[in-house]
Amino acid sequence: MARPTPLSGFPEWLPADRIVEQHVLDTLRATFESWGFAPVETRAVEPMDQLLRKGEIDKEVYVLRRLHATPEEEAAEAGKQLGLHFDLTVPFSRYVLENAGKLAFPFRRYQIQKVWRGERPQDGRYREFYQADVDVVGAGELPFHHEVELPLVMADGLARLREVGVPPVRIRVNNRKVAEGFYRALGLTDVAAVLRCVDKLDKIGPDAVTEILARDAGASAAQAQACLALAGITGDDASVAERVLALGVRGELLEQGLAELVRVLEAAGEHAPGALTADLSIARGLDYYTGTVYESTLVGEEDLGSVCSGGRYDTLASDGKDTYPGVGLSIGVSRLVSRLVGRKLVTATRSVPSAVLVAVTDEERRRDSDRVARALRARGIPVEVAPSAAKFGKQIRHADRRGIPFVWFLTDDGHQVKDIRSGEQVDADPQAWTPPAEDLHVRVVPGPGAG
Amino acid sequence: MARPTPLSGFPEWLPADRIVEQHVLDTLRATFESWGFAPVETRAVEPMDQLLRKGEIDKEVYVLRRLHATPEEEAAEAGKQLGLHFDLTVPFSRYVLENAGKLAFPFRRYQIQKVWRGERPQDGRYREFYQADVDVVGAGELPFHHEVELPLVMADGLARLREVGVPPVRIRVNNRKVAEGFYRALGLTDVAAVLRCVDKLDKIGPDAVTEILARDAGASAAQAQACLALAGITGDDASVAERVLALGVRGELLEQGLAELVRVLEAAGEHAPGALTADLSIARGLDYYTGTVYESTLVGEEDLGSVCSGGRYDTLASDGKDTYPGVGLSIGVSRLVSRLVGRKLVTATRSVPSAVLVAVTDEERRRDSDRVARALRARGIPVEVAPSAAKFGKQIRHADRRGIPFVWFLTDDGHQVKDIRSGEQVDADPQAWTPPAEDLHVRVVPGPGAG
């Protein structure tokens, strides 16, 4: 066959970059577990009617069909067509309903999986990508304080990645109640229409937003000006609420929203200083958010778009009897990793796990090398044995090409281990020798592109 | 919506069972890395022509289509239809060809991912399941000793799982050269036909195999009897070769195969005693194996079928210029895990990561509880804060339902932590207290069903 070429939108990494991705995934998982989130993994497929619930008819779902399904089987399965999930929220809400009787609520779960969207690929927008989600879901009710907690989980995970070269993250928060309360108090009743207009502010600018506010939401010039003034407010402390109230608008929902927003900012100020900012222009496209909403960018990499977003929803799922409110955020891991490796912000210290290559003197004595490898491995040292009894110079180059720092020799005078970076070679006992801690495992570190 | 029901063939676990699955996956990954295998992950989709290469036309591939693809787009993409991969070997061979210029050979990689097959689900046979693969691939050539090494990697991984209640594994090995050399020396030239007949021995018995050997491979009664005698030989040392030769058949290929088989057994005897047995009835369905082949069952759970199999292939991939021989094994992780959790052979010590629930005295003082949680978390202790300032009895029940062993109280007299299993309650400092090591993280341990 001819040499295959990559498929646009389906990223794959060479081993050294996959090691970077694994480190990101491992760090997020460890963070989520340290906050007490339980692991869930759902199947990759959902029935199409489930995927298209919530009126997400514009989503580019991948629909599945079995290659050898007979026309009769296809007809029988027509109402149960399957598609690949496009996020982890829809399958999680189905999982909660399906297992509600076996789960303890409020239920804290994390979920790290690939999702698929058939959209046109662009820089940082893929057809197959990893998401890492945390959600807390209640049965019937869910206290507000989880809206304070959840962004701190993500801020913690992303902060733990700072040491390997990931840029600082800026989580921007808003509260739907602030926007809705403000618009209603102004006399604008089609809140969804106003949100859709304001959401375009970044793209089309204030003059055009004023025009479409008049056209789509019936806003007067004064009302539009107030909406734009609200959207212009940012800050990371209680002064945000004061500046909103200084616009002269009042209302119960608005004031509740402002109180909630301030609580999020104050907690962040204590537990994750600098990570959160209120930004009253954040609208978030999805209609189901009802309280705090979140969007995040990497400092200095804003062109990448949001790498972590989410919010509060009052009905993630409902089975007619019970409703399940929740709050959750999702990190777009593949988007993040593509930037980290694409700009060499983060790099792996070698392309393989091995700390040691055990050389082979001649094929008759390969078993002696295997025994050395076994002894080192039993003490937790990643090791491989040279594939051939080539000249030692060639075996050293084998290690060098992969970044393996040590080569072990079995000579007639005994065992020696060579640090191929410094050239230093010393006597060594396979039952006792240990590499320096920083060489034991492949590490993920800031790359040449890190600031 | 109505309460959803599971999809047959698409297993999902509750969090405690997912913790078991994660432990299996983590242990295999750690094993593979300790042997120096580099991580690779490939996209979930391949072009259909790639999936159906090697004439695998009977595979029940899931074919993908974009929901909103226009007829024009579908026509343009007709030759490039995508399907979900049904194993990790086909995508890995494509990855090797695609990246051959950037990889160092021999290339040692592990790959742990889900695969999909649209076959009728049965016990232990799923439509979506995890595989964990290791392969060593050479460019142009690959020395035999990797056929000795690879089963030891899997034996090591499965042996590491023994301590959590996974039954011992028995890896049965054969060598295609033994079978082919033997059949050819007997005068049977349609080796593939003989293999297909002998492969049915377990299912249809010796008399029926004798019949189909005559019908499909033209075997005389004496030839069929010799084939059955060969298939009846098992053992774990060099006597296996002696017993084969005692059947009176000779030939260069046969003797080379026997020498290789004995090398595998001798190495296993030293490095993984008891794990490998020669079983000369193993045929393995796939035509592309050319040397050692492997199949494995769990002792006492033989009805589950093979949980780990693979072999040597001389042309995993070829781009017309170079060929890439390899040897690899694959563990069917979902099949294994389904048995482990289905029969309670393995269990998790709790259903959440949290070691501690920090109680909340009243909502006004939630921030004090958050501070305790942060101090514990900073010292590596997984912790969550109670969702409401309910009566302490209710907060203790919240911990108990999830298996969280400790509840932390902030009283007017200071901080105290209670082991809710023993009831013991002691003064504690969030900057200093640490749970016993066995309670720090959720652990995976032998369950009530373990032998």
Side-chain angles (χ1 to χ4, degrees):
Chain A
M1 64 179 293
R3 188 169 300 283
T5 50
L7 275 182
S8 177
F10 293 90
E12 288 185 336
W13 314 119
L14 289 170
D17 290 341
R18 170 64 183 158
I19 289 169
V20 170
E21 183 174 66
Q22 282 182 323
H23 181 80
V24 171
L25 296 170
D26 290 345
T27 302
L28 295 176
R29 172 180 164 188
T31 305
F32 301 159
E33 292 180 351
S34 79
W35 288 76
F37 289 82
V40 162
E41 187 158 290
T42 58
R43 62 192 189 222
V45 304
E46 296 293 333
M48 285 301 292
D49 57 355
Q50 183 79 17
L51 290 174
L52 302 180
R53 219 163 50 94
K54 310 238 180 216
E56 305 245 26
I57 49 165
D58 55 335
K59 278 280 190 308
E60 260 294 19
V61 176
Y62 280 111
V63 188
L64 265 55
R65 115 183 124 75
R66 288 189 294 118
L67 181 60
H68 295 296
T70 62
E72 293 74 30
E73 287 173 331
E74 289 207 355
E77 292 174 8
K80 296 174 267 180
Q81 216 171 25
L82 301 177
L84 294 176
H85 57 216
F86 54 78
D87 71 7
L88 302 178
T89 306
V90 170
F92 176 57
S93 67
R94 188 261 315 151
Y95 178 95
V96 165
L97 288 183
E98 188 175 316
N99 297 291
K102 299 168 191 158
L103 300 173
F105 292 96
F107 178 50
R108 302 162 69 83
R109 85 86 176 77
Y110 74 90
Q111 188 169 349
I112 301 176
Q113 284 180 255
K114 285 189 173 160
V115 305
W116 293 269
R117 296 182 188 177
E119 291 158 20
R120 190 176 301 277
Q122 295 175 3
D123 186 31
R125 199 161 94 182
Y126 294 119
R127 293 186 147 182
E128 172 178 71
F129 55 99
Y130 265 113
Q131 285 195 331
D133 283 28
V134 288
D135 285 84
V136 181
V137 171
E141 55 167 10
L142 186 76
F144 164 75
H145 61 76
H146 292 293
E147 296 172 56
V148 178
E149 180 190 29
L150 271 275
L152 298 179
V153 178
M154 290 310 204
D156 185 8
L158 293 163
R160 293 184 196 201
L161 288 167
R162 291 287 306 281
E163 62 175 330
V164 301
V166 175
V169 71
R170 182 63 43 84
I171 304 178
R172 296 179 298 162
V173 298
N174 195 0
N175 191 304
R176 270 288 161 87
K177 294 173 185 169
V178 172
E180 180 168 351
F182 188 89
Y183 302 152
R184 287 196 189 284
L186 279 180
L188 295 168
T189 51
D190 189 349
V191 172
V194 181
L195 281 171
R196 275 195 301 275
C197 296
V198 173
D199 201 22
K200 298 197 170 76
L201 188 54
D202 271 1
K203 279 182 200 140
I204 64 176
D207 291 349
V209 168
T210 301
E211 271 176 44
I212 61 174
L213 273 170
R215 188 191 68 197
D216 299 347
S220 69
Q223 286 170 325
Q225 195 183 355
C227 292
L228 289 171
L230 181 73
I233 292 174
T234 63
D236 57 10
D237 59 27
S239 74
V240 168
E242 291 159 20
R243 280 178 283 149
V244 172
L245 295 174
L247 297 175
V249 176
R250 291 288 184 281
E252 196 179 331
L253 188 63
L254 169 62
E255 284 160 50
Q256 186 193 345
L258 288 173
E260 291 183 356
L261 190 59
V262 167
R263 274 186 64 188
V264 171
L265 294 175
E266 286 179 347
E270 176 179 348
H271 295 289
L276 267 73
T277 313
D279 180 337
L280 273 55
S281 73
I282 302 287
R284 301 284 308 141
L286 294 163
D287 286 340
Y288 54 77
Y289 292 122
T290 53
T292 313
V293 290
Y294 317 91
E295 255 184 36
S296 318
T297 45
L298 293 182
V299 174
E301 311 284 342
E302 288 78 6
D303 63 299
L304 190 62
S306 184
V307 293
C308 172
S309 56
R312 159 86 188 208
Y313 37 83
D314 279 344
T315 48
L316 169 70
S318 169
D319 57 12
K321 193 163 59 85
D322 296 308
T323 60
Y324 297 88
V327 53
L329 288 98
S330 175
I331 292 182
V333 176
S334 298
R335 173 178 290 190
L336 174 63
V337 169
S338 72
R339 179 59 56 99
L340 300 182
V341 302
R343 299 225 167 138
K344 298 190 190 306
L345 300 172
V346 181
T347 191
T349 53
R350 52 189 190 248
S351 67
V352 297
S354 311
V356 181
L357 175 78
V358 182
V360 174
T361 310
D362 58 62
E363 283 299 336
E364 300 303 307
R365 290 196 272 175
R366 173 170 292 279
R367 290 177 71 161
D368 296 332
S369 298
D370 288 338
R371 287 187 190 109
V372 170
R374 188 177 166 209
L376 294 173
R377 195 177 292 124
R379 292 190 296 109
I381 303 169
V383 53
E384 61 187 271
V385 176
S388 79
K391 286 183 180 162
F392 282 160
K394 193 174 170 197
Q395 296 192 48
I396 290 170
R397 279 198 299 281
H398 177 102
D400 191 41
R401 281 195 68 183
R402 291 158 177 81
I404 302 173
F406 295 96
V407 178
W408 190 284
F409 298 102
L410 295 82
T411 67
D412 292 334
D413 303 331
H415 294 232
Q416 292 202 313
V417 66
K418 182 190 195 84
D419 183 332
I420 66 170
R421 299 160 299 189
S422 67
E424 188 191 13
Q425 186 162 335
V426 297
D427 291 339
D429 175 355
Q431 305 296 340
W433 178 85
T434 297
E438 67 269 23
D439 290 328
L440 179 59
H441 293 291
V442 54
R443 285 178 303 121
V444 169
V445 297
Chain B
M1 63 179 294
R3 189 171 300 284
T5 51
L7 274 183
S8 176
F10 293 90
E12 287 185 336
W13 313 119
L14 289 170
D17 290 341
R18 170 64 183 157
I19 289 169
V20 170
E21 183 174 69
Q22 281 183 323
H23 181 80
V24 171
L25 295 172
D26 290 345
T27 302
L28 294 177
R29 172 180 164 189
T31 304
F32 301 159
E33 292 179 351
S34 78
W35 288 77
F37 290 83
V40 162
E41 189 158 288
T42 57
R43 63 191 188 221
V45 304
E46 297 292 333
M48 285 300 293
D49 56 357
Q50 183 78 17
L51 291 173
L52 302 180
R53 215 162 53 93
K54 310 238 182 216
E56 306 244 26
I57 50 168
D58 55 335
K59 277 280 189 309
E60 260 294 18
V61 175
Y62 280 111
V63 187
L64 265 56
R65 140 181 99 74
R66 286 190 296 119
L67 181 60
H68 295 296
T70 62
E72 293 73 29
E73 287 172 330
E74 290 208 355
E77 293 174 7
K80 296 176 266 179
Q81 217 171 23
L82 300 177
L84 294 175
H85 57 214
F86 54 79
D87 70 7
L88 302 178
T89 305
V90 170
F92 176 56
S93 68
R94 189 262 314 151
Y95 178 94
V96 165
L97 286 184
E98 190 174 314
N99 297 291
K102 298 169 192 156
L103 300 173
F105 293 95
F107 178 49
R108 302 162 68 83
R109 86 86 174 79
Y110 74 90
Q111 189 169 350
I112 300 176
Q113 283 180 257
K114 286 189 173 160
V115 304
W116 293 268
R117 297 181 188 178
E119 291 158 20
R120 191 177 300 277
Q122 295 175 6
D123 185 31
R125 200 163 92 182
Y126 295 118
R127 290 185 150 182
E128 173 179 71
F129 55 99
Y130 266 114
Q131 287 194 333
D133 284 27
V134 287
D135 285 83
V136 181
V137 171
E141 56 168 10
L142 188 75
F144 163 75
H145 60 77
H146 291 294
E147 294 171 57
V148 177
E149 179 189 29
L150 271 275
L152 299 178
V153 178
M154 290 311 205
D156 185 9
L158 293 161
R160 294 184 196 201
L161 288 167
R162 290 287 305 282
E163 64 176 325
V164 302
V166 175
V169 71
R170 183 63 44 83
I171 304 178
R172 296 179 297 161
V173 297
N174 195 0
N175 191 303
R176 272 287 161 88
K177 293 173 185 168
V178 172
E180 180 169 349
F182 189 88
Y183 302 151
R184 287 195 190 282
L186 278 180
L188 295 167
T189 51
D190 190 348
V191 172
V194 181
L195 281 170
R196 275 194 302 274
C197 295
V198 173
D199 201 23
K200 298 197 170 76
L201 188 56
D202 271 1
K203 277 180 201 143
I204 64 176
D207 292 349
V209 168
T210 301
E211 269 175 47
I212 59 172
L213 274 171
R215 189 191 66 200
D216 298 347
S220 69
Q223 287 171 326
Q225 196 184 352
C227 291
L228 289 171
L230 181 73
I233 292 175
T234 63
D236 56 10
D237 59 26
S239 75
V240 167
E242 292 159 21
R243 279 178 284 148
V244 172
L245 294 174
L247 296 175
V249 176
R250 291 288 182 282
E252 194 180 334
L253 188 63
L254 170 62
E255 284 159 51
Q256 187 193 346
L258 288 173
E260 291 183 358
L261 190 59
V262 168
R263 274 185 66 186
V264 171
L265 294 175
E266 285 179 348
E270 176 179 346
H271 295 289
L276 265 75
T277 314
D279 181 337
L280 274 53
S281 73
I282 303 288
R284 300 287 306 141
L286 294 165
D287 286 341
Y288 54 75
Y289 292 124
T290 53
T292 313
V293 291
Y294 317 91
E295 254 184 39
S296 318
T297 47
L298 293 182
V299 175
E301 311 284 341
E302 287 79 5
D303 63 298
L304 189 62
S306 184
V307 294
C308 173
S309 55
R312 158 86 189 210
Y313 35 83
D314 279 344
T315 47
L316 170 71
S318 169
D319 57 11
K321 191 163 60 83
D322 296 307
T323 62
Y324 297 88
V327 53
L329 287 98
S330 174
I331 293 182
V333 175
S334 298
R335 171 178 291 191
L336 175 64
V337 169
S338 72
R339 179 58 57 99
L340 300 181
V341 303
R343 299 224 166 139
K344 299 192 190 304
L345 301 172
V346 181
T347 191
T349 54
R350 52 188 189 248
S351 67
V352 296
S354 310
V356 181
L357 176 77
V358 182
V360 174
T361 310
D362 59 60
E363 285 298 337
E364 300 304 308
R365 290 197 272 174
R366 172 171 294 279
R367 288 177 72 160
D368 296 333
S369 299
D370 288 339
R371 286 186 192 112
V372 170
R374 186 177 169 211
L376 294 174
R377 195 175 293 124
R379 292 190 297 107
I381 303 169
V383 55
E384 61 187 271
V385 176
S388 81
K391 286 183 181 163
F392 281 162
K394 191 172 170 197
Q395 296 192 50
I396 290 170
R397 279 197 299 282
H398 177 102
D400 191 40
R401 282 194 67 183
R402 291 158 176 80
I404 301 172
F406 295 97
V407 178
W408 191 284
F409 298 103
L410 294 81
T411 69
D412 293 335
D413 302 332
H415 295 233
Q416 292 203 312
V417 67
K418 184 190 193 82
D419 182 332
I420 66 170
R421 298 159 302 186
S422 67
E424 188 191 14
Q425 187 162 335
V426 297
D427 290 340
D429 174 357
Q431 305 296 341
W433 179 85
T434 298
E438 66 269 25
D439 290 327
L440 179 59
H441 294 291
V442 53
R443 283 177 306 122
V444 169
V445 297

